[in-house]
Amino acid sequence: MELRALQTGVFSHPEFDTHQTIQFVSDAASGLRAIIAVHDTTLGPALGGCRRWRYDTEQDALTDVLRLSAGMTLKNAAAGLDLGGGKAVILSDGLEPSPDMWRAFGQAVDHLGGQYITAEDVGTGQTAVDLISETTTHVRGTSAKGLGDPSPFTAEGVFAGIRAGAKHRFGADNLDGLTVAVQGLGNVGGGVAERAHQDGAQLIVADIDPAKTQDFADKLGATVASVDQIHTVSADIFAPCALGGGLNAETIPEIKALVVAGAANNQLAGDEDAERLRKHGILYAPDFIINAGGVISIALADEFDTADKMNARVARLGDVLAEIFVEADNNERTTQDIAVAHAIERLAKA
């Protein structure tokens, strides 16, 4: 295996943000091409999932991993975890990955000696993390240890955040009579849609897989929208649960919902988009707070060792967001500013 530092164009990259370590990994035998980014280890080893995605360019992959890694620093700090922030991306060629590729990735993680702990993310399921665990101990969410797949706990935290947003904006104790538009119906987004339906919400759903979209529409009585237009529908709450960057100068004026609360990472295309949302009267649940349920389930599996105990712990994210919403209103600041300030304060104290 070849493992080398990625150097060209990194320090000047707009998303570099003082990353501690960036590794570029290749393994010709298995076809593995990956980037591992460790942003900050002030609070402990960097924990963050491994995303497998078909990027248009290698530069896109680098941008994604840098943004995701920095986001994990904020997420873990704000969640009160003694963990730093890191992330990995595997550049997919569109083919089904072999078991050897996952084992090769595990070897790359192991080479970092515990500086980075990996886990499941988009394109990386239970089978993948189990194979990764064959070549490194620095992986979480395996079927052999802990609570397994973190996605249900991520969905539980997002649902708690949606309810907190509904309470703050509409004074509602549940979602009965409210319309929720869910973009992305993967393991997390699908779980969010199901929980919202059970809580009485009317649903509008969209996913890049038409068959999956129709399946959710049939079983939840939902209306179908296109992935690139669902943010424009008439809804009370918009839940982006696909990839990031969807909240930007073009899309924000088109949003009719008064609450944006979803699972996607890095939803804001830029820092200025938080202010755009505030000026448009849209309550935003910062993504690194609302989607922290999965990482909490991985980090605290020993302490909260059943699904019921963990769901109760994760549901506290709704209380955290409720406090952020009030503080932002009282200080006429964005919810993103308040959430980031809380995370940075914890890092500074450490």
Side-chain angles (χ1 to χ4, degrees):
M1 169 177 292
E2 181 182 358
L3 183 66
R4 61 187 186 276
L6 182 67
Q7 297 176 347
T8 305
V10 172
F11 297 117
S12 60
H13 194 288
E15 303 294 343
F16 175 68
D17 191 30
T18 65
H19 269 73
Q20 293 180 3
T21 302
I22 302 171
Q23 296 287 353
F24 196 28
V25 184
S26 64
D27 180 62
S30 67
L32 174 67
R33 294 185 302 150
I35 307 172
I36 301 174
V38 175
H39 178 251
D40 189 285
T41 56
T42 301
L43 296 173
L47 172 63
C50 171
R51 170 174 293 183
R52 184 174 65 87
W53 191 253
R54 194 168 187 174
Y55 294 96
D56 291 335
T57 67
E58 294 176 4
Q59 188 70 17
D60 288 344
L62 176 60
T63 298
D64 199 29
V65 76
L66 292 177
R67 293 197 73 196
L68 291 167
S69 177
M72 287 305 302
T73 297
L74 295 175
K75 181 185 295 188
N76 291 336
L81 304 175
D82 295 328
L83 293 163
K87 205 78 174 184
V89 297
I90 293 176
L91 286 71
S92 171
D93 56 8
L95 302 177
E96 189 66 23
S98 68
D100 283 345
M101 194 208 73
W102 294 119
R103 295 186 185 104
F105 176 73
Q107 289 175 350
V109 171
D110 204 64
H111 182 89
L112 293 172
Q115 185 183 14
Y116 167 66
I117 302 170
T118 196
E120 181 179 328
D121 202 290
V122 175
T124 310
Q126 190 69 66
T127 299
V129 294
D130 287 345
L131 288 166
I132 291 168
S133 72
E134 294 181 13
T135 52
T136 184
T137 59
H138 306 300
V139 57
R140 299 291 181 269
T142 66
S143 56
K145 184 178 180 181
L147 298 172
D149 182 4
S151 345
F153 303 108
T154 305
E156 188 70 22
V158 173
F159 173 63
I162 287 174
R163 290 194 70 177
K167 178 69 172 179
H168 187 83
R169 178 60 82 220
F170 307 114
D173 292 323
N174 53 50
L175 302 182
D176 190 25
L178 296 176
T179 299
V180 180
V182 182
Q183 180 190 51
L185 298 169
N187 290 341
V188 176
V192 170
E194 290 169 349
R195 287 164 173 77
H197 171 73
Q198 293 166 4
D199 205 41
Q202 297 296 312
L203 291 175
I204 303 171
V205 296
D207 190 90
I208 58 174
D209 183 343
K212 181 184 291 185
T213 306
Q214 193 58 54
D215 180 55
F216 272 89
D218 291 343
K219 70 181 181 180
L220 302 181
T223 302
V224 172
S226 65
V227 173
D228 59 352
Q229 290 297 311
I230 191 170
H231 68 282
T232 70
V233 302
S234 294
D236 300 295
I237 299 165
F238 172 45
C241 298
L243 296 180
L247 302 177
N248 52 57
E250 180 181 346
T251 60
I252 290 171
E254 298 175 332
I255 296 174
K256 297 181 177 65
L258 295 180
V259 177
V260 172
N265 287 309
N266 296 325
Q267 294 172 31
L268 302 174
D271 294 339
E272 65 279 3
D273 293 309
E275 181 61 21
R276 285 195 179 99
L277 287 165
R278 191 180 77 87
K279 287 185 176 179
H280 278 81
I282 299 171
L283 179 67
Y284 172 61
D287 50 43
F288 66 89
I289 302 289
I290 195 172
N291 67 13
V295 73
I296 290 172
S297 76
I298 291 170
L300 302 180
D302 291 340
E303 182 178 354
F304 301 91
D305 56 0
T306 68
D308 286 343
K309 290 179 182 178
M310 186 58 71
N311 280 331
R313 170 63 179 85
V314 167
R316 296 182 201 169
L317 291 171
D319 299 328
V320 173
L321 285 166
E323 294 175 1
I324 288 172
F325 295 156
V326 171
E327 187 174 346
D329 282 353
N330 290 343
N331 292 278
E332 296 184 350
R333 296 174 62 191
T334 71
T335 53
Q336 181 78 359
D337 284 346
I338 299 298
V340 169
H342 286 186
I344 290 175
E345 180 180 7
R346 183 161 184 257
L347 287 166
K349 288 179 178 178

